[in-house]
Amino acid sequence: LKHAGSGWVHIAPTGHPTHAMQHSSKCLATLVLATVTNIRLAAAVSLRAGAQQEPDVACGKGFENLVKGSQDYYATASVKLWTHPSHRMDNATFEKEFQCWFASMCTTKCGGLPSQAEERKEKLTKACTSWTTDWLKVWKLFSTEELRWFKNNYPAEEQEADADEATIHYKMAMHTAKEVSKKELLCLTLFTIDDECVKWPYIRLAQ
Protein backbone atom coordinates (compact mmCIF):
# COMPACT_ATOMS: atom_id res chain seq x y z
CA LEU A 1 0.00 0.00 0.00
CA LYS A 2 1.04 3.58 -0.66
CA HIS A 3 -0.50 6.76 0.69
CA ALA A 4 -1.67 9.07 -2.14
CA GLY A 5 -3.00 12.15 -0.38
CA SER A 6 -6.66 11.35 0.06
CA GLY A 7 -6.34 7.60 0.33
CA TRP A 8 -4.32 4.44 -0.17
CA VAL A 9 -3.67 2.71 -3.50
CA HIS A 10 -2.37 -0.77 -4.17
CA ILE A 11 1.02 -1.01 -5.94
CA ALA A 12 1.82 -4.30 -7.68
CA PRO A 13 5.08 -5.93 -6.54
CA THR A 14 8.09 -5.08 -8.69
CA GLY A 15 9.12 -7.88 -11.06
CA HIS A 16 5.60 -9.29 -11.33
CA PRO A 17 3.90 -7.56 -14.33
CA THR A 18 0.15 -7.33 -14.27
CA HIS A 19 -2.06 -8.83 -16.97
CA ALA A 20 -2.63 -5.35 -18.43
CA MET A 21 1.11 -4.78 -18.78
CA GLN A 22 1.59 -8.17 -20.45
CA HIS A 23 -1.25 -7.42 -22.87
CA SER A 24 0.26 -4.01 -23.66
CA SER A 25 3.63 -5.58 -24.41
CA LYS A 26 2.04 -8.09 -26.78
CA CYS A 27 0.17 -5.31 -28.57
CA LEU A 28 3.37 -3.30 -28.95
CA ALA A 29 5.23 -6.30 -30.36
CA THR A 30 2.41 -6.94 -32.83
CA LEU A 31 2.43 -3.29 -33.89
CA VAL A 32 6.18 -3.30 -34.45
CA LEU A 33 5.96 -6.52 -36.52
CA ALA A 34 3.14 -5.09 -38.62
CA THR A 35 5.10 -1.89 -39.20
CA VAL A 36 8.18 -3.79 -40.36
CA THR A 37 6.04 -5.95 -42.64
CA ASN A 38 4.39 -2.88 -44.17
CA ILE A 39 7.76 -1.25 -44.75
CA ARG A 40 9.01 -4.35 -46.58
CA LEU A 41 5.82 -4.53 -48.64
CA ALA A 42 6.11 -0.84 -49.56
CA ALA A 43 9.72 -1.36 -50.57
CA ALA A 44 8.77 -4.28 -52.81
CA VAL A 45 5.99 -2.30 -54.46
CA SER A 46 8.38 0.59 -54.99
CA LEU A 47 10.91 -1.69 -56.68
CA ARG A 48 8.27 -3.09 -59.02
CA ALA A 49 7.09 0.41 -59.86
CA GLY A 50 10.67 1.46 -60.48
CA ALA A 51 11.22 -1.43 -62.83
CA GLN A 52 8.09 -0.51 -64.80
CA GLN A 53 9.26 3.09 -65.07
CA GLU A 54 12.59 2.19 -66.67
CA PRO A 55 12.96 3.88 -70.08
CA ASP A 56 11.50 1.76 -72.89
CA VAL A 57 13.40 2.10 -76.15
CA ALA A 58 10.13 1.39 -77.97
CA CYS A 59 9.03 4.89 -76.92
CA GLY A 60 12.23 6.55 -78.11
CA LYS A 61 13.39 9.18 -75.64
CA GLY A 62 9.88 9.25 -74.10
CA PHE A 63 7.08 11.72 -74.73
CA GLU A 64 7.89 13.77 -71.62
CA ASN A 65 11.41 14.35 -72.97
CA LEU A 66 10.31 15.72 -76.34
CA VAL A 67 10.69 19.45 -76.95
CA LYS A 68 7.60 21.52 -76.19
CA GLY A 69 6.91 22.17 -79.87
CA SER A 70 6.62 18.44 -80.54
CA GLN A 71 4.38 17.92 -77.51
CA ASP A 72 2.19 20.79 -78.72
CA TYR A 73 1.98 19.17 -82.14
CA TYR A 74 0.69 15.95 -80.60
CA ALA A 75 -1.85 17.89 -78.53
CA THR A 76 -3.38 19.45 -81.66
CA ALA A 77 -3.25 16.16 -83.59
CA SER A 78 -5.04 14.28 -80.80
CA VAL A 79 -7.91 16.75 -81.09
CA LYS A 80 -8.08 17.09 -84.88
CA LEU A 81 -7.80 13.38 -85.69
CA TRP A 82 -9.95 11.83 -82.94
CA THR A 83 -13.29 13.36 -83.96
CA HIS A 84 -15.50 10.34 -84.66
CA PRO A 85 -18.16 10.03 -81.90
CA SER A 86 -17.24 6.41 -81.16
CA HIS A 87 -13.52 7.17 -80.93
CA ARG A 88 -13.49 10.66 -79.45
CA MET A 89 -12.37 9.45 -76.02
CA ASP A 90 -9.81 6.93 -77.28
CA ASN A 91 -7.09 9.57 -77.35
CA ALA A 92 -7.51 9.89 -73.57
CA THR A 93 -8.04 6.18 -72.86
CA PHE A 94 -4.88 5.19 -74.74
CA GLU A 95 -2.99 8.43 -74.27
CA LYS A 96 0.23 6.78 -73.06
CA GLU A 97 0.27 4.32 -75.96
CA PHE A 98 -0.30 6.97 -78.64
CA GLN A 99 2.23 9.29 -77.01
CA CYS A 100 4.69 6.41 -76.92
CA TRP A 101 4.39 5.83 -80.67
CA PHE A 102 4.58 9.56 -81.41
CA ALA A 103 7.71 9.88 -79.26
CA SER A 104 9.26 6.94 -81.08
CA MET A 105 8.59 8.56 -84.45
CA CYS A 106 10.05 11.89 -83.31
CA THR A 107 13.12 10.26 -81.78
CA THR A 108 13.92 8.26 -84.92
CA LYS A 109 12.94 11.10 -87.28
CA CYS A 110 10.38 8.75 -88.78
CA GLY A 111 13.09 6.44 -90.02
CA GLY A 112 14.33 9.11 -92.40
CA LEU A 113 11.18 8.81 -94.52
CA PRO A 114 10.57 11.87 -96.72
CA SER A 115 7.48 14.04 -96.46
CA GLN A 116 4.83 13.43 -99.08
CA ALA A 117 2.69 16.38 -98.07
CA GLU A 118 2.55 17.87 -101.55
CA GLU A 119 1.24 14.66 -103.09
CA ARG A 120 -1.25 13.48 -100.47
CA LYS A 121 -2.00 16.20 -97.89
CA GLU A 122 -5.43 16.93 -99.35
CA LYS A 123 -6.44 13.26 -99.68
CA LEU A 124 -5.04 12.48 -96.23
CA THR A 125 -6.92 15.35 -94.60
CA LYS A 126 -10.18 14.37 -96.27
CA ALA A 127 -9.85 10.71 -95.27
CA CYS A 128 -8.78 11.43 -91.69
CA THR A 129 -11.49 13.99 -90.92
CA SER A 130 -14.35 12.06 -92.52
CA TRP A 131 -16.57 10.00 -90.23
CA THR A 132 -17.49 7.61 -93.06
CA THR A 133 -13.99 6.75 -94.31
CA ASP A 134 -12.50 3.59 -92.80
CA TRP A 135 -8.88 2.82 -91.96
CA LEU A 136 -8.25 0.95 -95.22
CA LYS A 137 -8.50 4.21 -97.17
CA VAL A 138 -5.71 5.64 -95.02
CA TRP A 139 -3.68 2.42 -95.20
CA LYS A 140 -3.67 2.69 -99.01
CA LEU A 141 -2.07 6.14 -98.75
CA PHE A 142 1.08 4.58 -97.24
CA SER A 143 3.99 4.07 -99.60
CA THR A 144 5.72 0.68 -99.74
CA GLU A 145 8.62 2.04 -97.68
CA GLU A 146 6.24 3.54 -95.10
CA LEU A 147 4.33 0.27 -94.75
CA ARG A 148 7.53 -1.66 -94.18
CA TRP A 149 8.78 0.90 -91.66
CA PHE A 150 5.48 0.97 -89.76
CA LYS A 151 5.25 -2.82 -89.53
CA ASN A 152 8.85 -3.08 -88.33
CA ASN A 153 8.74 -0.25 -85.81
CA TYR A 154 5.30 0.01 -84.24
CA PRO A 155 5.87 -1.57 -80.77
CA ALA A 156 3.28 -4.33 -80.74
CA GLU A 157 5.25 -7.36 -81.88
CA GLU A 158 4.47 -10.77 -80.41
CA GLN A 159 6.48 -11.82 -77.36
CA GLU A 160 8.02 -15.18 -76.50
CA ALA A 161 6.10 -17.40 -74.09
CA ASP A 162 8.60 -16.81 -71.28
CA ALA A 163 8.77 -13.04 -71.79
CA ASP A 164 8.48 -10.77 -68.78
CA GLU A 165 4.84 -10.32 -67.76
CA ALA A 166 5.05 -6.52 -67.64
CA THR A 167 6.48 -6.48 -71.15
CA ILE A 168 3.67 -8.66 -72.44
CA HIS A 169 1.06 -6.39 -70.90
CA TYR A 170 2.77 -3.32 -72.32
CA LYS A 171 2.86 -4.73 -75.84
CA MET A 172 -0.73 -5.87 -75.48
CA ALA A 173 -1.75 -2.30 -74.60
CA MET A 174 0.03 -0.98 -77.70
CA HIS A 175 -1.66 -3.62 -79.84
CA THR A 176 -5.08 -2.85 -78.35
CA ALA A 177 -4.63 0.87 -78.93
CA LYS A 178 -3.82 0.20 -82.57
CA GLU A 179 -6.81 -2.06 -83.09
CA VAL A 180 -9.30 0.21 -81.29
CA SER A 181 -8.23 3.44 -83.07
CA LYS A 182 -6.51 2.05 -86.14
CA LYS A 183 -7.63 4.78 -88.53
CA GLU A 184 -6.65 7.59 -86.16
CA LEU A 185 -3.28 5.98 -85.41
CA LEU A 186 -2.50 5.58 -89.10
CA CYS A 187 -3.50 9.19 -89.70
CA LEU A 188 -1.24 10.37 -86.88
CA THR A 189 1.60 8.38 -88.42
CA LEU A 190 1.25 9.86 -91.91
CA PHE A 191 0.70 13.42 -90.74
CA THR A 192 3.78 13.15 -88.55
CA ILE A 193 5.83 11.97 -91.53
CA ASP A 194 4.41 14.64 -93.86
CA ASP A 195 4.99 17.40 -91.29
CA GLU A 196 8.66 16.39 -91.35
CA CYS A 197 8.55 14.56 -88.03
CA VAL A 198 7.74 17.33 -86.81
CA LYS A 199 8.79 20.89 -87.65
CA TRP A 200 5.64 22.69 -86.54
CA PRO A 201 3.94 23.01 -83.14
CA TYR A 202 0.59 22.03 -84.67
CA ILE A 203 -0.78 19.50 -87.15
CA ARG A 204 -1.06 20.94 -90.66
CA LEU A 205 -4.34 19.95 -92.29
CA ALA A 206 -5.11 20.81 -95.91
CA GLN A 207 -7.05 24.04 -96.25
Side-chain angles (χ1 to χ4, degrees):
L1 293 176
K2 182 178 179 181
H3 189 266
S6 59
W8 295 87
V9 295
H10 181 268
I11 303 298
T14 303
H16 298 281
T18 64
H19 176 72
M21 291 174 64
Q22 292 176 335
H23 179 70
S24 177
S25 297
K26 290 181 180 180
C27 288
L28 180 60
T30 301
L31 178 60
V32 170
L33 179 60
T35 301
V36 172
T37 301
N38 288 335
I39 290 175
R40 289 176 177 172
L41 179 60
V45 171
S46 178
L47 287 172
R48 294 190 196 108
Q52 292 175 357
Q53 290 169 4
E54 287 297 317
D56 191 328
V57 294
C59 298
K61 66 175 66 175
F63 183 81
E64 66 281 359
N65 294 318
L66 296 178
V67 298
K68 186 177 185 302
S70 296
Q71 293 182 1
D72 291 343
Y73 180 97
Y74 175 83
T76 64
S78 68
V79 173
K80 297 294 185 179
L81 300 179
W82 273 264
T83 60
H84 193 283
S86 63
H87 293 286
R88 195 167 291 160
M89 297 304 296
D90 292 348
N91 60 352
T93 303
F94 295 101
E95 181 180 57
K96 290 187 180 298
E97 286 70 35
F98 296 135
Q99 287 181 346
C100 171
W101 172 233
F102 180 74
S104 175
M105 290 193 287
C106 290
T107 301
T108 62
K109 301 300 181 184
C110 297
L113 293 167
S115 169
Q116 297 191 47
E118 291 188 10
E119 294 79 13
R120 70 182 173 201
K121 179 72 76 173
E122 187 174 343
K123 289 184 289 186
L124 182 62
T125 298
K126 183 177 181 180
C128 291
T129 56
S130 170
W131 289 4
T132 58
T133 302
D134 64 16
W135 67 271
L136 281 172
K137 294 282 187 180
V138 181
W139 188 247
K140 291 178 180 179
L141 294 176
F142 278 70
S143 68
T144 301
E145 293 76 15
E146 289 168 341
L147 287 174
R148 184 184 302 112
W149 173 77
F150 179 78
K151 291 177 180 179
N152 290 337
N153 289 276
Y154 184 79
E157 69 274 12
E158 294 183 2
Q159 300 296 300
E160 297 296 331
D162 59 349
D164 177 74
E165 183 178 359
T167 302
I168 292 175
H169 288 174
Y170 170 73
K171 303 305 181 185
M172 284 175 60
M174 293 298 294
H175 175 73
T176 301
K178 182 183 70 172
E179 293 305 308
V180 169
S181 276
K182 184 174 290 186
K183 175 187 171 182
E184 290 79 5
L185 178 66
L186 296 177
C187 287
L188 174 65
T189 301
L190 289 188
F191 269 107
T192 300
I193 293 173
D194 287 352
D195 286 339
E196 301 180 49
C197 211
V198 290
K199 288 189 175 180
W200 292 267
Y202 55 87
I203 187 172
R204 299 194 307 156
L205 302 177
Q207 301 299 318

